[in-house]
Amino acid sequence: MRVTTTRGPAGRWPLVRPWLGVAARLGLAAVWLYAGATKVGDLAASGRAVNAYQVMPYEVATAIGAALPFVELALGLLLLAGLATRLSAGISAALLVVFVAGIASAWARGLAIDCGCFGSGGQLAAGQSPSYLPEILRDLGFLALAGFLLIWPRTPFSVDGWLAGDPSVEDDDEQS
């Protein structure tokens, strides 16, 4: 005879949360790896995309644009490995807030630009219209993933867990 116990949603949380964390970590890693990979081959275009926001001098924008793909790739690799997860999630969250603010600023100022999030951006051609709301909503979704990892950084199959010598992730008190 099989005996089952009913566990409410709160009872399932310790079992589900680590796997949601893996999904959040790997999902955000994929975003950063793809974003960085699409830009790293043309750093000048990445600089022009940052400059299109018209919020800083050209020289600063191009330097930031040239560095950004490498930051994105580094974040992606760290999250993929599960190394320095909370720090990577914090930097991710900060970058995403800056991205959302930049897109909202461009929208509010009536600029017609491509965000440059996943490849070359910059001024849109005549007749093209920007898609700011979907870009902001997408980045807010990514921000939610980063927020989850800020709160619960320890996930299965991570270097963080291996280094801590604690493969168990069910105990929230051990989160650091």
Side-chain angles (χ1 to χ4, degrees):
M1 183 161 131
R2 184 174 164 188
V3 177
T4 59
T5 59
T6 304
R7 297 177 83 171
R12 289 188 195 111
W13 179 245
L15 299 173
V16 173
R17 185 204 45 78
W19 301 106
L20 288 175
V22 169
R25 182 171 57 82
L26 296 179
L28 198 54
V31 167
W32 289 131
L33 290 170
Y34 182 71
T38 59
K39 291 181 255 195
V40 76
D42 190 352
L43 299 179
S46 183
R48 287 189 301 274
V50 172
N51 188 56
Y53 286 89
Q54 302 175 13
V55 294
M56 60 191 77
Y58 177 78
E59 293 79 17
V60 175
T62 56
I64 289 173
L68 188 58
F70 297 101
V71 172
E72 291 169 337
L73 289 170
L75 287 170
L77 291 172
L78 287 169
L79 287 166
L80 184 64
L83 179 61
T85 302
R86 181 171 278 157
L87 176 63
S88 299
I91 294 169
S92 295
L95 272 176
L96 289 162
V97 166
V98 169
F99 293 166
V100 168
I103 295 167
S105 170
W107 192 4
R109 292 180 291 133
L111 299 179
I113 63 172
D114 178 332
C115 75
C117 303
F118 298 102
S120 62
Q123 299 296 328
L124 291 175
Q128 287 186 313
S129 54
S131 57
Y132 294 131
L133 183 59
E135 292 168 353
I136 289 171
L137 293 175
R138 177 202 61 215
D139 286 355
L140 289 174
F142 297 153
L143 183 58
L145 296 178
F148 187 97
L149 293 171
L150 275 168
I151 297 168
W152 297 290
R154 188 77 52 81
T155 62
F157 309 112
S158 68
V159 174
D160 287 341
W162 179 74
L163 289 174
D166 180 24
S168 171
V169 294
E170 284 80 24
D171 188 359
D172 287 340
D173 293 335
E174 293 180 359
Q175 300 293 318
S176 55

mmCIF file of all heavy atoms in Angstrom, residues 98-144:
data_model
loop_
_atom_site.group_PDB
_atom_site.id
_atom_site.type_symbol
_atom_site.label_atom_id
_atom_site.label_comp_id
_atom_site.label_asym_id
_atom_site.label_seq_id
_atom_site.Cartn_x
_atom_site.Cartn_y
_atom_site.Cartn_z
ATOM 1 N N VAL A 98 20.609 49.756 -15.767
ATOM 2 C CA VAL A 98 21.162 50.780 -16.661
ATOM 3 C C VAL A 98 20.570 50.631 -18.063
ATOM 4 O O VAL A 98 20.194 51.626 -18.696
ATOM 5 C CB VAL A 98 22.706 50.714 -16.691
ATOM 6 C CG1 VAL A 98 23.281 51.571 -17.807
ATOM 7 C CG2 VAL A 98 23.276 51.132 -15.343
ATOM 8 N N PHE A 99 20.445 49.397 -18.545
ATOM 9 C CA PHE A 99 19.879 49.171 -19.880
ATOM 10 C C PHE A 99 18.428 49.639 -19.943
ATOM 11 O O PHE A 99 18.027 50.303 -20.904
ATOM 12 C CB PHE A 99 19.965 47.695 -20.268
ATOM 13 C CG PHE A 99 21.360 47.172 -20.471
ATOM 14 C CD1 PHE A 99 21.588 45.812 -20.528
ATOM 15 C CD2 PHE A 99 22.457 48.012 -20.593
ATOM 16 C CE1 PHE A 99 22.858 45.302 -20.722
ATOM 17 C CE2 PHE A 99 23.729 47.522 -20.775
ATOM 18 C CZ PHE A 99 23.926 46.149 -20.850
ATOM 19 N N VAL A 100 17.636 49.287 -18.938
ATOM 20 C CA VAL A 100 16.226 49.705 -18.915
ATOM 21 C C VAL A 100 16.137 51.230 -18.866
ATOM 22 O O VAL A 100 15.346 51.842 -19.594
ATOM 23 C CB VAL A 100 15.470 49.065 -17.729
ATOM 24 C CG1 VAL A 100 14.114 49.711 -17.518
ATOM 25 C CG2 VAL A 100 15.302 47.561 -17.953
ATOM 26 N N ALA A 101 16.961 51.853 -18.025
ATOM 27 C CA ALA A 101 16.952 53.318 -17.932
ATOM 28 C C ALA A 101 17.369 53.948 -19.259
ATOM 29 O O ALA A 101 16.777 54.952 -19.697
ATOM 30 C CB ALA A 101 17.876 53.786 -16.807
ATOM 31 N N GLY A 102 18.355 53.377 -19.926
ATOM 32 C CA GLY A 102 18.802 53.909 -21.219
ATOM 33 C C GLY A 102 17.720 53.804 -22.283
ATOM 34 O O GLY A 102 17.479 54.760 -23.030
ATOM 35 N N ILE A 103 17.058 52.654 -22.337
ATOM 36 C CA ILE A 103 15.989 52.469 -23.323
ATOM 37 C C ILE A 103 14.829 53.418 -23.016
ATOM 38 O O ILE A 103 14.287 54.064 -23.928
ATOM 39 C CB ILE A 103 15.523 51.000 -23.360
ATOM 40 C CG1 ILE A 103 16.658 50.098 -23.868
ATOM 41 C CG2 ILE A 103 14.290 50.842 -24.239
ATOM 42 C CD1 ILE A 103 16.418 48.607 -23.652
ATOM 43 N N ALA A 104 14.462 53.530 -21.747
ATOM 44 C CA ALA A 104 13.370 54.438 -21.360
ATOM 45 C C ALA A 104 13.737 55.882 -21.680
ATOM 46 O O ALA A 104 12.897 56.660 -22.142
ATOM 47 C CB ALA A 104 13.050 54.270 -19.878
ATOM 48 N N SER A 105 14.992 56.248 -21.463
ATOM 49 C CA SER A 105 15.457 57.597 -21.767
ATOM 50 C C SER A 105 15.383 57.875 -23.267
ATOM 51 O O SER A 105 14.929 58.947 -23.698
ATOM 52 C CB SER A 105 16.890 57.778 -21.270
ATOM 53 O OG SER A 105 17.446 58.983 -21.733
ATOM 54 N N ALA A 106 15.822 56.914 -24.068
ATOM 55 C CA ALA A 106 15.756 57.083 -25.526
ATOM 56 C C ALA A 106 14.303 57.233 -25.974
ATOM 57 O O ALA A 106 13.987 58.071 -26.818
ATOM 58 C CB ALA A 106 16.406 55.888 -26.220
ATOM 59 N N TRP A 107 13.416 56.449 -25.406
ATOM 60 C CA TRP A 107 11.989 56.494 -25.731
ATOM 61 C C TRP A 107 11.404 57.849 -25.347
ATOM 62 O O TRP A 107 10.724 58.502 -26.146
ATOM 63 C CB TRP A 107 11.287 55.367 -24.998
ATOM 64 C CG TRP A 107 9.877 55.085 -25.414
ATOM 65 C CD1 TRP A 107 9.160 55.673 -26.421
ATOM 66 C CD2 TRP A 107 9.004 54.131 -24.830
ATOM 67 N NE1 TRP A 107 7.909 55.131 -26.490
ATOM 68 C CE2 TRP A 107 7.786 54.175 -25.517
ATOM 69 C CE3 TRP A 107 9.137 53.225 -23.778
ATOM 70 C CZ2 TRP A 107 6.703 53.367 -25.194
ATOM 71 C CZ3 TRP A 107 8.067 52.412 -23.462
ATOM 72 C CH2 TRP A 107 6.860 52.489 -24.167
ATOM 73 N N ALA A 108 11.724 58.296 -24.121
ATOM 74 C CA ALA A 108 11.186 59.567 -23.633
ATOM 75 C C ALA A 108 11.690 60.754 -24.455
ATOM 76 O O ALA A 108 10.983 61.753 -24.612
ATOM 77 C CB ALA A 108 11.546 59.755 -22.161
ATOM 78 N N ARG A 109 12.904 60.652 -24.979
ATOM 79 C CA ARG A 109 13.474 61.749 -25.754
ATOM 80 C C ARG A 109 13.157 61.659 -27.241
ATOM 81 O O ARG A 109 13.599 62.486 -28.031
ATOM 82 C CB ARG A 109 14.994 61.810 -25.539
ATOM 83 C CG ARG A 109 15.350 62.234 -24.102
ATOM 84 C CD ARG A 109 16.852 62.307 -23.872
ATOM 85 N NE ARG A 109 17.427 60.967 -23.891
ATOM 86 C CZ ARG A 109 18.525 60.628 -24.563
ATOM 87 N NH1 ARG A 109 19.185 61.530 -25.253
ATOM 88 N NH2 ARG A 109 18.983 59.392 -24.523
ATOM 89 N N GLY A 110 12.386 60.637 -27.617
ATOM 90 C CA GLY A 110 11.962 60.511 -29.010
ATOM 91 C C GLY A 110 13.037 60.034 -29.960
ATOM 92 O O GLY A 110 12.924 60.241 -31.173
ATOM 93 N N LEU A 111 14.073 59.384 -29.446
ATOM 94 C CA LEU A 111 15.120 58.858 -30.318
ATOM 95 C C LEU A 111 14.591 57.624 -31.050
ATOM 96 O O LEU A 111 13.798 56.853 -30.495
ATOM 97 C CB LEU A 111 16.357 58.475 -29.509
ATOM 98 C CG LEU A 111 17.047 59.600 -28.732
ATOM 99 C CD1 LEU A 111 18.235 59.055 -27.953
ATOM 100 C CD2 LEU A 111 17.479 60.713 -29.665
ATOM 101 N N ALA A 112 15.025 57.408 -32.241
ATOM 102 C CA ALA A 112 14.652 56.225 -33.012
ATOM 103 C C ALA A 112 15.902 55.371 -33.193
ATOM 104 O O ALA A 112 16.627 55.497 -34.187
ATOM 105 C CB ALA A 112 14.062 56.619 -34.360
ATOM 106 N N ILE A 113 16.169 54.517 -32.199
ATOM 107 C CA ILE A 113 17.376 53.688 -32.226
ATOM 108 C C ILE A 113 17.021 52.237 -31.954
ATOM 109 O O ILE A 113 15.988 51.919 -31.382
ATOM 110 C CB ILE A 113 18.421 54.174 -31.193
ATOM 111 C CG1 ILE A 113 17.894 54.053 -29.763
ATOM 112 C CG2 ILE A 113 18.857 55.600 -31.489
ATOM 113 C CD1 ILE A 113 18.933 54.329 -28.691
ATOM 114 N N ASP A 114 17.937 51.376 -32.382
ATOM 115 C CA ASP A 114 17.895 49.965 -32.025
ATOM 116 C C ASP A 114 18.736 49.851 -30.759
ATOM 117 O O ASP A 114 19.825 50.422 -30.694
ATOM 118 C CB ASP A 114 18.492 49.135 -33.161
ATOM 119 C CG ASP A 114 18.533 47.647 -32.864
ATOM 120 O OD1 ASP A 114 18.609 47.251 -31.687
ATOM 121 O OD2 ASP A 114 18.511 46.870 -33.827
ATOM 122 N N CYS A 115 18.255 49.132 -29.769
ATOM 123 C CA CYS A 115 18.957 49.097 -28.477
ATOM 124 C C CYS A 115 20.377 48.563 -28.579
ATOM 125 O O CYS A 115 21.216 48.885 -27.753
ATOM 126 C CB CYS A 115 18.163 48.300 -27.444
ATOM 127 S SG CYS A 115 18.203 46.516 -27.663
ATOM 128 N N GLY A 116 20.672 47.728 -29.558
ATOM 129 C CA GLY A 116 22.013 47.159 -29.659
ATOM 130 C C GLY A 116 22.246 46.052 -28.651
ATOM 131 O O GLY A 116 23.386 45.665 -28.405
ATOM 132 N N CYS A 117 21.189 45.529 -28.103
ATOM 133 C CA CYS A 117 21.301 44.523 -27.043
ATOM 134 C C CYS A 117 21.894 43.210 -27.543
ATOM 135 O O CYS A 117 22.637 42.556 -26.830
ATOM 136 C CB CYS A 117 19.932 44.264 -26.432
ATOM 137 S SG CYS A 117 19.140 45.747 -25.775
ATOM 138 N N PHE A 118 21.545 42.817 -28.744
ATOM 139 C CA PHE A 118 21.999 41.544 -29.292
ATOM 140 C C PHE A 118 22.589 41.752 -30.676
ATOM 141 O O PHE A 118 22.165 41.172 -31.654
ATOM 142 C CB PHE A 118 20.843 40.539 -29.338
ATOM 143 C CG PHE A 118 20.296 40.225 -27.984
ATOM 144 C CD1 PHE A 118 19.109 40.790 -27.548
ATOM 145 C CD2 PHE A 118 20.985 39.380 -27.122
ATOM 146 C CE1 PHE A 118 18.612 40.514 -26.292
ATOM 147 C CE2 PHE A 118 20.494 39.091 -25.859
ATOM 148 C CZ PHE A 118 19.301 39.658 -25.444
ATOM 149 N N GLY A 119 23.578 42.607 -30.732
ATOM 150 C CA GLY A 119 24.239 42.886 -32.000
ATOM 151 C C GLY A 119 24.343 44.368 -32.219
ATOM 152 O O GLY A 119 24.184 45.170 -31.309
ATOM 153 N N SER A 120 24.600 44.721 -33.466
ATOM 154 C CA SER A 120 24.797 46.134 -33.758
ATOM 155 C C SER A 120 23.484 46.882 -33.583
ATOM 156 O O SER A 120 22.425 46.415 -33.977
ATOM 157 C CB SER A 120 25.347 46.306 -35.172
ATOM 158 O OG SER A 120 24.425 45.808 -36.108
ATOM 159 N N GLY A 121 23.569 48.009 -32.972
ATOM 160 C CA GLY A 121 22.412 48.874 -32.772
ATOM 161 C C GLY A 121 22.672 50.195 -33.450
ATOM 162 O O GLY A 121 23.375 50.267 -34.443
ATOM 163 N N GLY A 122 22.110 51.227 -32.904
ATOM 164 C CA GLY A 122 22.328 52.554 -33.445
ATOM 165 C C GLY A 122 21.057 53.131 -34.027
ATOM 166 O O GLY A 122 19.958 52.663 -33.737
ATOM 167 N N GLN A 123 21.230 54.156 -34.835
ATOM 168 C CA GLN A 123 20.083 54.843 -35.438
ATOM 169 C C GLN A 123 19.322 53.898 -36.360
ATOM 170 O O GLN A 123 19.921 53.150 -37.119
ATOM 171 C CB GLN A 123 20.560 56.062 -36.242
ATOM 172 C CG GLN A 123 21.273 57.108 -35.427
ATOM 173 C CD GLN A 123 20.380 57.757 -34.392
ATOM 174 O OE1 GLN A 123 19.185 57.913 -34.577
ATOM 175 N NE2 GLN A 123 20.962 58.124 -33.274
ATOM 176 N N LEU A 124 18.000 53.966 -36.283
ATOM 177 C CA LEU A 124 17.163 53.180 -37.188
ATOM 178 C C LEU A 124 17.057 53.893 -38.530
ATOM 179 O O LEU A 124 17.106 55.122 -38.595
ATOM 180 C CB LEU A 124 15.771 52.987 -36.590
ATOM 181 C CG LEU A 124 15.692 52.087 -35.363
ATOM 182 C CD1 LEU A 124 14.273 52.084 -34.800
ATOM 183 C CD2 LEU A 124 16.123 50.674 -35.698
ATOM 184 N N ALA A 125 16.885 53.136 -39.567
ATOM 185 C CA ALA A 125 16.702 53.708 -40.896
ATOM 186 C C ALA A 125 15.365 54.431 -40.962
ATOM 187 O O ALA A 125 14.445 54.141 -40.182
ATOM 188 C CB ALA A 125 16.747 52.599 -41.946
ATOM 189 N N ALA A 126 15.258 55.357 -41.873
ATOM 190 C CA ALA A 126 14.008 56.100 -42.045
ATOM 191 C C ALA A 126 12.867 55.119 -42.295
ATOM 192 O O ALA A 126 13.010 54.156 -43.042
ATOM 193 C CB ALA A 126 14.131 57.064 -43.219
ATOM 194 N N GLY A 127 11.759 55.352 -41.617
ATOM 195 C CA GLY A 127 10.592 54.499 -41.757
ATOM 196 C C GLY A 127 10.528 53.360 -40.759
ATOM 197 O O GLY A 127 9.481 52.752 -40.593
ATOM 198 N N GLN A 128 11.642 53.057 -40.116
ATOM 199 C CA GLN A 128 11.629 52.023 -39.085
ATOM 200 C C GLN A 128 11.228 52.645 -37.757
ATOM 201 O O GLN A 128 11.594 53.779 -37.456
ATOM 202 C CB GLN A 128 13.000 51.370 -38.935
ATOM 203 C CG GLN A 128 13.381 50.456 -40.066
ATOM 204 C CD GLN A 128 14.695 49.749 -39.765
ATOM 205 O OE1 GLN A 128 15.659 50.381 -39.339
ATOM 206 N NE2 GLN A 128 14.723 48.440 -39.988
ATOM 207 N N SER A 129 10.491 51.880 -36.958
ATOM 208 C CA SER A 129 10.114 52.403 -35.647
ATOM 209 C C SER A 129 10.706 51.513 -34.555
ATOM 210 O O SER A 129 10.801 50.292 -34.723
ATOM 211 C CB SER A 129 8.592 52.487 -35.516
ATOM 212 O OG SER A 129 8.008 51.249 -35.806
ATOM 213 N N PRO A 130 11.113 52.121 -33.460
ATOM 214 C CA PRO A 130 11.731 51.358 -32.373
ATOM 215 C C PRO A 130 10.691 50.499 -31.643
ATOM 216 O O PRO A 130 9.494 50.754 -31.717
ATOM 217 C CB PRO A 130 12.298 52.442 -31.457
ATOM 218 C CG PRO A 130 11.540 53.672 -31.786
ATOM 219 C CD PRO A 130 11.078 53.553 -33.194
ATOM 220 N N SER A 131 11.179 49.501 -30.949
ATOM 221 C CA SER A 131 10.313 48.615 -30.164
ATOM 222 C C SER A 131 10.720 48.694 -28.703
ATOM 223 O O SER A 131 11.168 47.716 -28.117
ATOM 224 C CB SER A 131 10.415 47.182 -30.686
ATOM 225 O OG SER A 131 11.763 46.746 -30.650
ATOM 226 N N TYR A 132 10.571 49.872 -28.112
ATOM 227 C CA TYR A 132 11.068 50.103 -26.767
ATOM 228 C C TYR A 132 10.334 49.308 -25.696
ATOM 229 O O TYR A 132 10.977 48.752 -24.802
ATOM 230 C CB TYR A 132 11.012 51.598 -26.428
ATOM 231 C CG TYR A 132 11.943 52.432 -27.268
ATOM 232 C CD1 TYR A 132 11.499 53.585 -27.895
ATOM 233 C CD2 TYR A 132 13.271 52.069 -27.453
ATOM 234 C CE1 TYR A 132 12.347 54.360 -28.665
ATOM 235 C CE2 TYR A 132 14.127 52.831 -28.230
ATOM 236 C CZ TYR A 132 13.659 53.974 -28.827
ATOM 237 O OH TYR A 132 14.501 54.735 -29.590
ATOM 238 N N LEU A 133 9.020 49.246 -25.747
ATOM 239 C CA LEU A 133 8.276 48.550 -24.685
ATOM 240 C C LEU A 133 8.655 47.072 -24.607
ATOM 241 O O LEU A 133 8.974 46.579 -23.512
ATOM 242 C CB LEU A 133 6.771 48.736 -24.851
ATOM 243 C CG LEU A 133 5.920 48.092 -23.734
ATOM 244 C CD1 LEU A 133 6.277 48.663 -22.373
ATOM 245 C CD2 LEU A 133 4.441 48.280 -24.039
ATOM 246 N N PRO A 134 8.673 46.329 -25.700
ATOM 247 C CA PRO A 134 9.100 44.922 -25.600
ATOM 248 C C PRO A 134 10.534 44.773 -25.080
ATOM 249 O O PRO A 134 10.825 43.834 -24.335
ATOM 250 C CB PRO A 134 8.977 44.394 -27.032
ATOM 251 C CG PRO A 134 8.009 45.299 -27.697
ATOM 252 C CD PRO A 134 8.188 46.643 -27.058
ATOM 253 N N GLU A 135 11.415 45.703 -25.465
ATOM 254 C CA GLU A 135 12.797 45.635 -24.985
ATOM 255 C C GLU A 135 12.867 45.867 -23.483
ATOM 256 O O GLU A 135 13.601 45.178 -22.771
ATOM 257 C CB GLU A 135 13.666 46.654 -25.726
ATOM 258 C CG GLU A 135 13.861 46.302 -27.194
ATOM 259 C CD GLU A 135 14.467 47.430 -28.010
ATOM 260 O OE1 GLU A 135 14.623 48.553 -27.492
ATOM 261 O OE2 GLU A 135 14.781 47.180 -29.189
ATOM 262 N N ILE A 136 12.105 46.817 -22.990
ATOM 263 C CA ILE A 136 12.079 47.090 -21.552
ATOM 264 C C ILE A 136 11.489 45.908 -20.800
ATOM 265 O O ILE A 136 12.048 45.464 -19.783
ATOM 266 C CB ILE A 136 11.303 48.392 -21.255
ATOM 267 C CG1 ILE A 136 12.111 49.608 -21.730
ATOM 268 C CG2 ILE A 136 10.974 48.511 -19.775
ATOM 269 C CD1 ILE A 136 11.365 50.931 -21.678
ATOM 270 N N LEU A 137 10.388 45.364 -21.292
ATOM 271 C CA LEU A 137 9.761 44.215 -20.624
ATOM 272 C C LEU A 137 10.693 43.002 -20.624
ATOM 273 O O LEU A 137 10.794 42.287 -19.618
ATOM 274 C CB LEU A 137 8.425 43.882 -21.287
ATOM 275 C CG LEU A 137 7.331 44.931 -21.128
ATOM 276 C CD1 LEU A 137 6.097 44.548 -21.932
ATOM 277 C CD2 LEU A 137 6.983 45.164 -19.656
ATOM 278 N N ARG A 138 11.383 42.776 -21.735
ATOM 279 C CA ARG A 138 12.349 41.674 -21.811
ATOM 280 C C ARG A 138 13.445 41.853 -20.763
ATOM 281 O O ARG A 138 13.767 40.928 -20.014
ATOM 282 C CB ARG A 138 12.957 41.635 -23.214
ATOM 283 C CG ARG A 138 14.029 40.575 -23.393
ATOM 284 C CD ARG A 138 14.960 40.885 -24.541
ATOM 285 N NE ARG A 138 15.648 42.146 -24.315
ATOM 286 C CZ ARG A 138 15.963 43.006 -25.284
ATOM 287 N NH1 ARG A 138 15.645 42.759 -26.537
ATOM 288 N NH2 ARG A 138 16.609 44.120 -25.001
ATOM 289 N N ASP A 139 13.993 43.067 -20.684
ATOM 290 C CA ASP A 139 15.064 43.315 -19.719
ATOM 291 C C ASP A 139 14.569 43.235 -18.289
ATOM 292 O O ASP A 139 15.315 42.820 -17.390
ATOM 293 C CB ASP A 139 15.729 44.665 -20.000
ATOM 294 C CG ASP A 139 16.628 44.626 -21.231
ATOM 295 O OD1 ASP A 139 16.811 43.536 -21.810
ATOM 296 O OD2 ASP A 139 17.146 45.690 -21.613
ATOM 297 N N LEU A 140 13.326 43.604 -18.036
ATOM 298 C CA LEU A 140 12.760 43.444 -16.691
ATOM 299 C C LEU A 140 12.630 41.964 -16.339
ATOM 300 O O LEU A 140 12.832 41.574 -15.185
ATOM 301 C CB LEU A 140 11.416 44.160 -16.576
ATOM 302 C CG LEU A 140 11.482 45.685 -16.578
ATOM 303 C CD1 LEU A 140 10.071 46.280 -16.603
ATOM 304 C CD2 LEU A 140 12.274 46.211 -15.380
ATOM 305 N N GLY A 141 12.312 41.134 -17.327
ATOM 306 C CA GLY A 141 12.296 39.688 -17.097
ATOM 307 C C GLY A 141 13.680 39.165 -16.743
ATOM 308 O O GLY A 141 13.832 38.362 -15.812
ATOM 309 N N PHE A 142 14.697 39.629 -17.467
ATOM 310 C CA PHE A 142 16.069 39.237 -17.146
ATOM 311 C C PHE A 142 16.459 39.745 -15.760
ATOM 312 O O PHE A 142 17.168 39.073 -15.013
ATOM 313 C CB PHE A 142 17.055 39.766 -18.192
ATOM 314 C CG PHE A 142 16.845 39.226 -19.582
ATOM 315 C CD1 PHE A 142 17.233 39.964 -20.685
ATOM 316 C CD2 PHE A 142 16.258 37.984 -19.807
ATOM 317 C CE1 PHE A 142 17.062 39.484 -21.972
ATOM 318 C CE2 PHE A 142 16.073 37.496 -21.095
ATOM 319 C CZ PHE A 142 16.481 38.246 -22.178
ATOM 320 N N LEU A 143 15.985 40.937 -15.412
ATOM 321 C CA LEU A 143 16.251 41.498 -14.085
ATOM 322 C C LEU A 143 15.627 40.620 -12.995
ATOM 323 O O LEU A 143 16.219 40.430 -11.926
ATOM 324 C CB LEU A 143 15.723 42.931 -14.003
ATOM 325 C CG LEU A 143 15.975 43.700 -12.722
ATOM 326 C CD1 LEU A 143 17.462 43.805 -12.403
ATOM 327 C CD2 LEU A 143 15.361 45.101 -12.825
ATOM 328 N N ALA A 144 14.457 40.068 -13.264
ATOM 329 C CA ALA A 144 13.828 39.153 -12.304
ATOM 330 C C ALA A 144 14.695 37.911 -12.097
ATOM 331 O O ALA A 144 14.839 37.426 -10.957
ATOM 332 C CB ALA A 144 12.430 38.772 -12.781
#
